Amino acid sequence: MQTAGVCFRVNHTSGDPGWRPARDIARCSNLIVRSRLNQEKLKFVVIRFKKFDVSMRGSTPRVRSFVPSQFSDIEAVLSTIRFLRTFTAVARHGSFAVAAEQMALTQSAVSMQMRALETEFKHELFDRSGRKVMLNAMGKSLLPHAQHLLAVYEAMRVTAGGLEEDVGPVSIGAVESVVGALAEAAAHLKMTRPNLDVRITAAKSVDLAARVDSGEIDAAVIIDTPGRRPASVQWTPLYSEALVLLANTNTPKASVAQLLRTQRFLRFDRTQRTGAIIDRALRKQRIKVNEFLELNSLEGIAELVRQGIGVAVVPLLRRSSWMRDEALRVVPLPETGGKRNVGMLERAQHDKMRVTAAIVRQLKEVI
C-alpha cells in the first residue's frame, strides 16, 4: 500500500515511540527530530514538511525516500551550530530563560536543544539541581571546543560575506555602558579580518542617533526610545535590562518605595534616554524620592552606593558584577518597574552593512 505523507520518530531516553504521521505535528513548520536516513544510523536533521512516498507494512510506515535532495547533511551541521550557540549562551548566563531571550527562542526550545545535545554526546551537560543551571564536568570540558567551533564558523561567515574587501573605516558609536562589549566584539572580528578598520566612539543615545541619521557614523549601539522610527534607519534589537534598586548592603531592609522615600536618592541624568526611562518608571509607580544628586555615569552611581551615600534606580547592566558585589544589594522593582532596550541603529541602506551585521553577531556572543 502506498500513500503520500511525512513520518517522523522523536527520540526518547527510554522506550520506542515508533513512527508517527506528520499530521500529529502539522502546526509546526520545522522540527528537530531523530530520523532514519535510508536505513542508515540515526542522526539529526531538520524536516520541513514535504510530501513523499512511504510504504505501509502492517501498522508501521517505512520511508521509501525519506530525505529529498534539499535535506542534505549541511542542514544537520547548521542545526548543530545553532544548538552550540544556545549551549554557550546557557553556560554564560546560567539560565535557560536568559539564554532564550538572547537567542530569540522560547525557554522550552532552549531546553529541547540542550536535551538534544546531551543525547548526541551521550552525557548530561548541566547540573540542574540548584536554582541556577550550571555546567557539570562534562559540560565544562566541552565548552572550549564549542566556542572554538563557533569561532571557526564565524570566520567562515566573515570570509564568505566579503568582509575581506576594503570597505574603508567603519565608525560605530555606543553609549558608555556598552563600549566595553562593543570593543570586545570588534576585537574578535579583527582577529579574523585584521585589515578591517573599526573605530568606536562613546556618546549619548540621542546624539548618536542624530549622527547615524546624518551619515557621520555608520551605526550605533544605543538605548531604544518609544515611538516610530523613520524609514531611513534600521533597528536591530540586542537585549533588555530590567530596572533595579541599588542599595548598600548596610542599608536597613525595607520595601523599595520606603527606601526611595527615606534614603538619599542618586538619580541618573534625566536628559539621557536611560534617565527618562527611570523617571517614567518612578512616576508610573507614584513613588516620591528623596532627591540628593543627579549624575550621568551608571558606574559612578554604583560607586557612591558602595560608599553608602544613597540608593539608586538603575538598569541591571548585562556585564556588571553588581550581583556578586559584597557591598551592594540589588533589589528587583515591582513588575511594572520597566526596562531599557539596547540595540543597533544604522541607516536602512549603506555599504558597511556586512560589517555591522557581523559585529551584531559578535556582540550577541560576548554579552
Side-chain angles (χ1 to χ4, degrees), residues 170-191:
V170 182
S171 300
I172 302 180
V175 292
E176 180 186 5
S177 58
V178 186
V179 168
L182 178 59
E184 185 177 342
H188 281 299
L189 195 60
K190 281 184 65 68
M191 287 178 186

Side-chain angles (χ1 to χ4, degrees), residues 204-352:
K204 297 179 180 181
S205 290
V206 64
D207 296 334
L208 291 171
R211 292 168 69 180
V212 167
D213 193 49
S214 68
E216 184 181 343
I217 59 177
D218 298 302
V221 183
I222 61 175
I223 312 305
D224 196 11
T225 184
R228 298 181 61 182
R229 280 177 286 273
S232 59
V233 298
Q234 171 180 298
W235 174 258
T236 304
L238 289 170
Y239 59 91
S240 298
E241 295 170 331
L243 297 184
V244 296
L245 175 75
L246 211 57
N248 187 279
T249 51
N250 295 323
T251 302
K253 290 189 177 181
S255 68
V256 169
Q258 186 175 353
L259 287 174
L260 289 172
R261 282 195 301 267
T262 59
Q263 301 295 315
R264 291 185 291 262
F265 184 61
L266 305 171
R267 183 186 285 278
F268 188 75
D269 185 359
R270 279 171 284 192
T271 66
Q272 298 195 35
R273 288 184 181 176
T274 297
I277 292 170
I278 293 169
D279 190 53
R280 250 192 329 268
L282 293 173
R283 290 176 181 274
K284 187 174 183 179
Q285 297 184 55
R286 299 179 179 178
I287 296 177
K288 184 173 178 61
V289 299
N290 181 19
E291 300 280 1
F292 182 72
L293 188 64
E294 185 166 341
L295 58 162
N296 65 358
S297 168
L298 292 171
E299 287 295 348
I301 288 175
E303 181 56 34
L304 292 179
V305 174
R306 286 189 190 95
Q307 297 174 22
I309 302 300
V311 299
V313 172
V314 292
L316 183 57
L317 301 182
R318 183 63 71 94
R319 287 161 59 94
S320 76
S321 59
W322 297 344
M323 296 288 287
R324 302 184 300 274
D325 194 321
E326 295 182 354
L328 295 176
R329 189 163 84 241
V330 178
V331 183
L333 294 189
E335 291 184 4
T336 56
K339 61 183 179 179
R340 73 171 188 173
N341 300 313
V342 181
M344 177 174 280
L345 184 75
E346 57 189 316
R347 294 189 307 285
Q349 296 292 332
H350 62 93
D351 58 0
K352 314 287 179 64

Side-chain angles (χ1 to χ4, degrees), residues 60-80:
T60 304
R62 295 182 180 277
V63 178
R64 168 179 286 185
S65 178
F66 189 79
V67 183
S69 59
Q70 66 264 39
F71 301 143
S72 61
D73 284 349
I74 190 63
E75 301 220 36
V77 173
L78 293 176
S79 296
T80 302

